[in-house]
Each structure stands twice: as C-alpha cells, then as structure tokens.
C-alpha cells in the first residue's frame, strides 16, 4: 500500500478548510488536481471523517464517565461551616444540689463549628458496568470505521465506473465523428449517397447526450467522495486507476472467500450489552445484602457571647463509627428491578439470534451476488472480444463497399453495450465484495 505523501495531505487539508470568497472560482489546472488512490482515500476518511471523529469523542466521554465512577471509591472531603444563635439557652438541672431545683441556663449566644467529614462509600459493583460502557463505545467507533470504509469504497468504485463509462461513450463519440468525416469526404467525392452523410451526422448528435451525461456522472460521484473524505467540494481530485485494474484478481479472490462472524461489530456490541446486563443483575441482587460503611468526622467548636474572633477558644470534637444498613422492605422495588433486567437479557438474546440469522442471509446474498457477477464478468469479457472483432469486420466491409452504415451503427452499439456490461459486472463484484467485508467486520 502506497503511503500518502506529506505534500498531498497538506495540500488536501489546506484546500479543504480555506473558504472561497463570493464570486471566487478555483482554477482547475493540473496543479490543483489531487491524485488519490483507494488506500489513500480510506486513510484520509478514517483520519479526518466527521463520523469517525464523533465516535472517537464518544470514547473520550465514556472514559471520563468511568473515571468519575472510580472517584466515588475515594473518601469525599468537604469543608463545612456552621453558625447558630441561641435565642433561648438550654437549662441544666441537678437533683439533690441546693439551689439547682430551678435549673441554670448553659451555653452562650453564638455557636460556631468547622468540620472536615470523611465518608467512604464502596461502589465496586458498578465499576465494571462503567468499564463496559467504554468497551461498548470503542466497539461502536470500530463499527463507524467499518461503515466509513464501506461507504468510501462504494464512492471510489462509483467514480471509476463513471470514468470508465465516460471513456466508453467518448470512444463511441470519437468513432461516430471519425465515420462522419470519412463519409463526408466520400460524399464530396461522389462515392456515397447523401443519406449516409445525414445518418452519420445523426449518429454523432445521438452520441453527444450520452457523453454529457457521463461527464456529469463523474462530477456527481466525485462530490459524493469529497463529502465522505471531508474535503472542500471545490478541490479538484482524480481517482487513480480503472475498474479493469481489478479484473485480473476476481476469480482468485472468489476462491479465497471465507465467512466468519467473529469480527462482526453488531454482534460484538450485543455481546458487550449482555455482559453489562449480567453485571447489572448482580448489582441489583447485591442490594438485598447488608451494606457497611465507615464514617469519620472532626470538628472545632467555639461558643461566645460576642464577635471578637481573636478571643475565641476552639475545642476539637471528633467521631468515628461504622454504619450498617440492612434492607428489610422496599415495596417490591428490588424484586421488580431484577425481573426487569432478566426480561431485558431474554430480549437481547432473541435480538442476537435474529441478527445472526439476518447476517447469515446477507452473507448468502453477497456470495451469490459475487458468484453472479463473476459469471457476468466472464460473459461480458467474451462479449467485448466478439464485439470488437465484429466492429472491425464491419468497418472493413464498409470500406470495401460490401457493408452499410446501418451495420456500422449496429456493431458500434453492440460494442458500447458490451463494454458497459463489462464495467458494470466488475463494479457489482467489487460492491458485493465490500458488503461481505462489512458483514464480516473487516477493517483492512
């Protein structure tokens, strides 16, 4: 695989992100045309495509969420401040002490406290679920790359098909124009009738619309490819290669086709979701068990009748303890949550079974399409060879006066159709192969 040169990439992104001023047109000179191969197009799309960037950001988001879950395992430290004003002070009574039967008021007007409570809550059961969220995001990102690879391949092959079709129609137009000039010379020499000249001119006119349509098809397919690559639509690019470059390996590739769903991204995503539900059910069942947590608190307390803070006397106050929570009754909430998760697990199992069946059906359709395209390619190849011979024979017959212009037109039409059929067969084969690679989760 040929690497993209630094100059190519720099020029590509420079043209992609420099906006054109109103009324400004980018000159389409050879210096402004970026030649790109299929591996280079895939590399650009997988590194600069917006869909891929969004998927990568989703991975980062889930990683931050996982870090937030792990942070819950560490002690939570908060600085607390509290102020209270005693409107009515408490009374203290001491039985058997003279003069204390009426009680005495204790405390002061202002109560200040500053504390540093530390609370540690264990969340081990939920951490694995967060880890699966990250794993699921990574797999979704891989799925986005597989889909992007498939779309870029389709767009690139569509450009090659449009260019090859344009070449076929261009050759047909050139042949019609060349025949017209030959017949015109013969007509001026009195060797052919005016009808042949008119018919030759009509053939040229009939070939022009097909040529214009083919030119427009190239432009449209290039726009689609540029959107997938994330580059400016005004940037001139040219896809290197032709569909005929792939015809030599069609039969060999067909014999090497092997089917496996081990790398299929959709199935792997469902497998990750199944593991998530399994951990979620374990977490919900664990809510039936008692939980134990540790608490520690340290405070400084001061009471005064004024606001002269410099004269305050602060006394420390600290506690340490354990908290045991035993679940007794929740109105059936925990039971319902477990049953709900079990139903979700059954749903996911059925969805996986249905998806696997659909993928196997898609595989059979793709392999059958590949087999059909291979037969079409073989038939179209033979058709092109016969059509080329027929056209050459027809031209010789016309030059010697044994043939007619109608025979030339018919052989030209057959040759054009045969070449279009050949290109279409190769294109259909490449698309079917790309679909099969997408089903199997191929990334390279």
């Amino acid at each position: 695989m040929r690497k993209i040169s630094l100059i190519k990439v720099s020029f590509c992104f420079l043209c992609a992100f420099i906006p054109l001023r109103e009324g400004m047109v980018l000159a389409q000179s050879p210096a402004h045309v970026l030649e790109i191969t299929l591996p280079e197009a895939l590399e650009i799309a997988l590194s600069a495509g917006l869909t891929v960037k969004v998927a990568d950001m989703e991975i980062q988001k889930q990683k931050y969420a996982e870090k937030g879950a792990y942070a819950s395992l560490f002690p939570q430290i908060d600085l607390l401040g509290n102020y209270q004003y005693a409107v009515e002070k408490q009374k203290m009574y001491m039985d058997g002490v003279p003069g204390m039967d009426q009680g005495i008021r204790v405390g002061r007007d202002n109560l200040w406290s500053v504390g540093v409570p530390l609370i540690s809550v264990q969340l081990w059961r939920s951490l694995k679920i967060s880890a699966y969220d990250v794993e699921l995001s990574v797999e979704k990102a891989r799925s986005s790359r597989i889909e992007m690879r498939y779309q870029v391949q389709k767009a690139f092959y569509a450009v090659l098909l449009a260019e090859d079709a344009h070449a076929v129609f261009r050759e047909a137009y050139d042949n019609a124009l060349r025949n017209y000039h030959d017949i015109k010379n013969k007509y001026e020499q009195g060797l052919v009738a005016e009808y042949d000249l008119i018919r030759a001119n009509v053939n040229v006119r009939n070939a022009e619309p097909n040529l214009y349509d083919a030119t427009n098809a190239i432009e449209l397919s290039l726009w689609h490819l540029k959107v997938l690559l994330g580059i400016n639509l005004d940037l001139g690019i040219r896809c290197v290669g032709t569909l005929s470059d792939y015809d030599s390996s069609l039969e060999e590739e067909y014999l090497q086709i092997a089917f496996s769903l081990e790398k299929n991204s959709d199935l792997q995503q469902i497998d990750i979701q199944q593991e998530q539900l399994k951990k979620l059910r374990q977490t919900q069942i664990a809510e039936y068990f008692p939980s134990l947590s540790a608490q520690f608190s340290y405070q400084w307390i001061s009471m005064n009748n004024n606001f002269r803070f410099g004269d305050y006397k602060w006394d420390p106050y600290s506690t340490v303890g354990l908290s045991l929570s035993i679940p007794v009754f929740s109105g059936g909430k925990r039971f319902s949550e477990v049953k709900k998760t079990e139903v979700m697990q059954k749903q996911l199992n059925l969805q996986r079974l249905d998806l696997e069946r659909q993928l196997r059906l898609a595989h059979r359709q793709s392999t059958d399409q590949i087999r059909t395209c291979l037969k079409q390619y073989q038939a179209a190849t033979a058709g092109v060879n016969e059509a080329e011979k027929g056209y050459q024979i027809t031209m010789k017959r016309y030059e010697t006066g044994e043939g007619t212009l109608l025979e030339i037109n018919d052989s030209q039409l057959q040759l054009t159709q045969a070449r279009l059929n050949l290109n279409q067969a190769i294109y259909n084969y490449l698309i079917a192969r790309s679909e099969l690679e997408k089903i199997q989760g191929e990334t390279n």
Side-chain angles (χ1 to χ4, degrees), residues 179-180 183-184 186-187 191-203 398 403-406 409:
N179 291 337
Y180 169 75
I183 293 174
K184 183 179 179 182
K186 293 180 180 180
Y187 172 75
L191 300 178
V192 297
E194 184 180 3
Y195 172 79
D196 288 346
L197 179 61
I198 297 174
R199 187 61 184 241
N201 188 31
V202 170
N203 291 338
Y398 186 80
T404 63
L405 184 60
L406 183 60
N409 296 337

Side-chain angles (χ1 to χ4, degrees), residues 216-266:
N216 186 55
I218 294 176
E219 192 69 22
L220 294 177
S221 57
L222 283 174
W223 285 347
H224 185 207
L225 180 61
K226 291 175 186 178
V227 170
L228 292 175
L229 299 183
I231 62 178
N232 198 316
L233 294 180
D234 294 319
L235 173 65
I237 65 173
R238 188 181 74 84
C239 295
V240 178
T242 62
L243 290 176
S244 59
D245 296 337
Y246 299 90
D247 60 358
S248 60
S249 59
L250 296 188
E251 297 183 6
E252 181 180 353
E253 288 182 354
Y254 175 72
L255 296 175
Q256 297 176 354
I257 290 178
F259 178 65
S260 174
L261 292 177
E262 294 181 359
K263 296 181 180 180
N264 181 268
S265 181
D266 294 332

Side-chain angles (χ1 to χ4, degrees), residues 5 13 81 89 134 139 164 168-169 181 275 326 363 376 380 406 434:
S5 64
F13 286 98
K89 299 181 178 67
V134 177
E139 185 58 37
D164 285 357
V168 172
F169 287 123
H181 289 304
E275 292 297 326
I326 303 176
H363 162 253
Q376 291 175 347
L406 183 60
S434 299

Side-chain angles (χ1 to χ4, degrees), residues 2 4-5 8-9 11 30-38 40-41 44 156 235-241:
R2 191 160 56 91
I4 307 177
S5 64
K8 279 189 176 182
V9 176
F11 177 75
H32 293 96
V33 176
L34 175 66
E35 294 186 351
I36 185 171
T37 63
L38 178 57
E40 292 172 347
I44 293 175
F156 192 90
L235 173 65
I237 65 173
R238 188 181 74 84
C239 295
V240 178

